[in-house]
Amino acid sequence: MLREWRLNLKLNLKRRPGGAPVYVQIAHGLVAEIRRGRLIAGEVLPGSREMAEELGVNRKTVVVAYDELIAQGWLTSRGTKGTFVSAKLPEPKARPARLALDGPRSRGEGPQFSRLAPPMDVPVLFPRPGLLSLDDGTPDTRLFPAESFARAYRSAMTIAGKVGKLGYGDPRGSPNLRGAISRMLNVDRGLATTPDRVCLTRGSQMAIYLVSRIMIRNGDGVVVDDLTYPPAREAFRAAGANILRVHVDDDGTDMDSLEKTCRRHRVRLVYLTPHHHFPTTVLLNPDRRLRLLGLASQFGFTIVEDDYDHEFHFQHQPLLPLASFDPSVLYIGSMSKLLSPSLRLGYISAPEKFIERAAQEICLIDRQGDPVTEDAVAELVESGEVRRHANRVLKIYAARREKLAVMLRAELDDAVDFRLPDGGLAFWLTFATSSHLDRLEQNAPKNGLQFLPSGSFAGKEDGRRGIRVGFAGLDDAGIRDAVRRMKAAIGP
Amino acid sequence: MLREWRLNLKLNLKRRPGGAPVYVQIAHGLVAEIRRGRLIAGEVLPGSREMAEELGVNRKTVVVAYDELIAQGWLTSRGTKGTFVSAKLPEPKARPARLALDGPRSRGEGPQFSRLAPPMDVPVLFPRPGLLSLDDGTPDTRLFPAESFARAYRSAMTIAGKVGKLGYGDPRGSPNLRGAISRMLNVDRGLATTPDRVCLTRGSQMAIYLVSRIMIRNGDGVVVDDLTYPPAREAFRAAGANILRVHVDDDGTDMDSLEKTCRRHRVRLVYLTPHHHFPTTVLLNPDRRLRLLGLASQFGFTIVEDDYDHEFHFQHQPLLPLASFDPSVLYIGSMSKLLSPSLRLGYISAPEKFIERAAQEICLIDRQGDPVTEDAVAELVESGEVRRHANRVLKIYAARREKLAVMLRAELDDAVDFRLPDGGLAFWLTFATSSHLDRLEQNAPKNGLQFLPSGSFAGKEDGRRGIRVGFAGLDDAGIRDAVRRMKAAIGP
């Protein structure tokens, strides 16, 4: 009669016909039997011919399995004497539950993984089948000039291949794109930057992350608005910042509130979205802009200006960034709204000392970005294609902004409060009563709607709540559909 | 006679003809005069017509400049009474040295930037004009199937555009590529992973970085080899790890040394490159593999297996990873060596709990990767193109490996010691005497050579030194050239 382990091996092999290659299955099966203590140290194994017949496989498969286990230390070969189970095995009790052979259901989660830090509060939204997403202000990627981009990509790849630029390069990013972006910032946004003061990042989020790693030491005060961009706040928190909140109202960040905070705490960074405040869309007013620069000077904090959707302003020409008037401002921008989030292209313009440290930090995080994508975008910036694209979509987005306003007024006038945003790609909705909002959130899933939780912008229990509704990604029908689903969720 | 500030404004405008748009120059010029205290709070400005004539610009340009400064708070308009300097200015001493107008030479480095953390020791190499790079084992990107990839990229972009996948998606990465990689790992490398246990990263470096962020708390013991991959060691160090070094010899990491370390310290992670040790290229031997699994079980540490160039093995079929025999191993792989570093595609296969935390961490770091690149690579993996490419280049690299060995023996036999590597894309060179190595390093630049500093692998003063020489990226002529330059640098 066959020993138990041989029977097991045979049965397991038959049970998993669609799994790993047969030699791997045999190897894993033998290890499982060794680990369970049914095959013991020093035991001789059947010859490969006998084993092959027994398992109904090619003899060579058994030889490969034995060889693999010899190379891995589980078996040893003593020449003509045969193949033996290794004399020095790990303790037989060794984590049987973690065996690869037990298959996908066993997740192999050792005790190490139970002490992982608790989950963070970084809400993210992405399309899920059957759900209409009210995004927080992303562009309509159907309008993305995919043809031109694919052409530019192909040409950048050909060139890069020829000049050996498909390997590792400058951690700050492609010189072409750093040049193109620094020119764009100087000409369109009044900065006085240079390619050496620009660092490319994987989306604006990575620029925020770099700021958090480079500028913050444990316990440093970082000011954010009481309604703000959650991934920025959480990145600062994760870096050990003491998060200080200041009030934001219809004129942007309240400077009295900021000054009071500066008098009470050592403030290292002030993170703002002065152009189109996230999430409320308001513009930081003139007096406050000036006062902010004064406070920065007086209290020695650094301003982080996140200008994530600079281009999309509907009332007048976009305002020059604060960084145009003070080059110590850490200025963050993105191609995500202008072109597409999928390109993962953001940037930071900052003093050279910061950029040098950023390059080192990037070497630890991800080494560099994709030079082909970067060069392709540089080509579209330099050729004027990006600017033409911006002009084209601005008109489309302006119409969608109108449409959403009209629909909200027509369908949800009693429940919803909003201000037509001067710029940016989203509305900020507040609600007549908290029960309106509660009903909307509760009933959203069954009405096929998803959006960021209303409490995530304040990020604390008693904070202000609201919903951010991006309009750029929705066409007329989409806007109608979204508003009607909201209405249905809120109910009578 | 014109007031001093008007004269200044005029002169500065003339001096910078190629700079920012004229309205921005006027606005910046006015702010500079205000900051220097030559234009004072409450002062009335000349009318736009007068100003335009004086500066020799279009009147509209002055109007736009005034409007911008009104929106920024520096000026106020009192209707028909004219335009005035704001009554509430920041302190006039406010950082005059940081003015944007002072141009690129002034780097705007406020005092904040002098307290940045000191630079880290992360040596990186990238091509510089006129220098031949001895890389640390990167593929020949001239062999990269750029045509196929550009086609796959274009098609992935078209599909993604149609199904709305150019926006934000799953932080773990494209489901297509996670599926393709998990199948590849199961079929080719004997893992038992699933798409939900795979997370895509921007190169293997980001996988290492994620491990450092998720697994390490301040002071945790992390074991690395005494010769190791510097960016990994530095990422662990930056996360607050207590770096513990164990000896590596011709059979890989010494397990007696590891066991001793485990008895003395609480070890949380052990980072290894068991397949082709970095930098020494050796394979971890069978007894040690088995013992490592036993020690992990006994002391409760987690194994981080960095299998950065799994495919390239010249002696026999690549060995199955440790992760094939223990699913609690954090298994890191990369497309950088297999396809091209420029794609920035790595991955980690790990228990689901780890992957869930990784997704949250990614939301803070860079939100996600590029779904089009990811889908294009998935297409090349699934179509078999990647496998065919690997087979094709393996033959080429095998010949280059031979060539480098022959050249080193012929030209540098007295100075250099090496072992023909069984796998991987680089040689590890040690030197007959330290003065040979010193001369090589000293004279490399003037012989047009660059390589990673010989001390960087040990990363401490009295550590072992050597040079890693990648052969895959050099053709016959390149190999001859490299060895001759090395010989010239070492001298007689």
Side-chain angles (χ1 to χ4, degrees), chain A residues 28 35 68 72 95 98 115 147 154 190 205 209 217 220 320 324-328 344 366, chain B residues 28 35 68 72 95 98 115 147 154 190 205 209 217 220 320 324-328 344 364 366:
Chain A
H28 283 173
R35 281 192 146 146
E68 183 69 44
Q72 300 284 351
R95 299 180 286 185
R98 294 208 210 153
R115 63 157 251 186
E147 275 297 312
R154 184 202 197 88
Q205 184 61 31
Y209 187 76
R217 294 185 200 172
D220 275 351
L320 294 182
S324 169
F325 298 92
D326 185 341
S328 76
R344 309 311 303 130
D366 70 353
Chain B
H28 282 174
R35 280 191 148 148
E68 183 70 43
Q72 301 283 350
R95 300 181 283 185
R98 293 208 211 153
R115 64 158 250 186
E147 275 297 310
R154 184 202 196 87
Q205 184 60 31
Y209 188 77
R217 294 186 201 172
D220 275 351
L320 294 182
S324 168
F325 298 92
D326 186 341
S328 76
R344 309 310 303 129
L364 295 186
D366 69 354

Side-chain angles (χ1 to χ4, degrees), chain B residues 42-56:
Chain B
E43 194 167 342
V44 67
L45 287 176
S48 55
R49 192 183 308 274
E50 181 188 341
M51 194 66 154
E53 270 172 27
E54 191 170 309
L55 299 175

Side-chain angles (χ1 to χ4, degrees), chain B residues 206-228:
Chain B
M206 193 185 188
I208 293 168
Y209 188 77
L210 286 172
V211 170
S212 80
R213 303 301 307 165
I214 292 170
M215 300 296 287
I216 300 172
R217 294 186 201 172
N218 234 351
D220 275 351
V222 173
V223 170
V224 300
D225 296 316
D226 59 355
L227 290 170
T228 191

Side-chain angles (χ1 to χ4, degrees), chain A residues 451-473:
Chain A
F451 44 81
L452 289 175
S454 67
S456 56
F457 308 100
K460 51 183 221 174
E461 278 297 310
D462 58 345
R464 289 194 278 164
R465 294 159 65 206
I467 304 282
R468 206 167 139 95
V469 179
F471 54 81

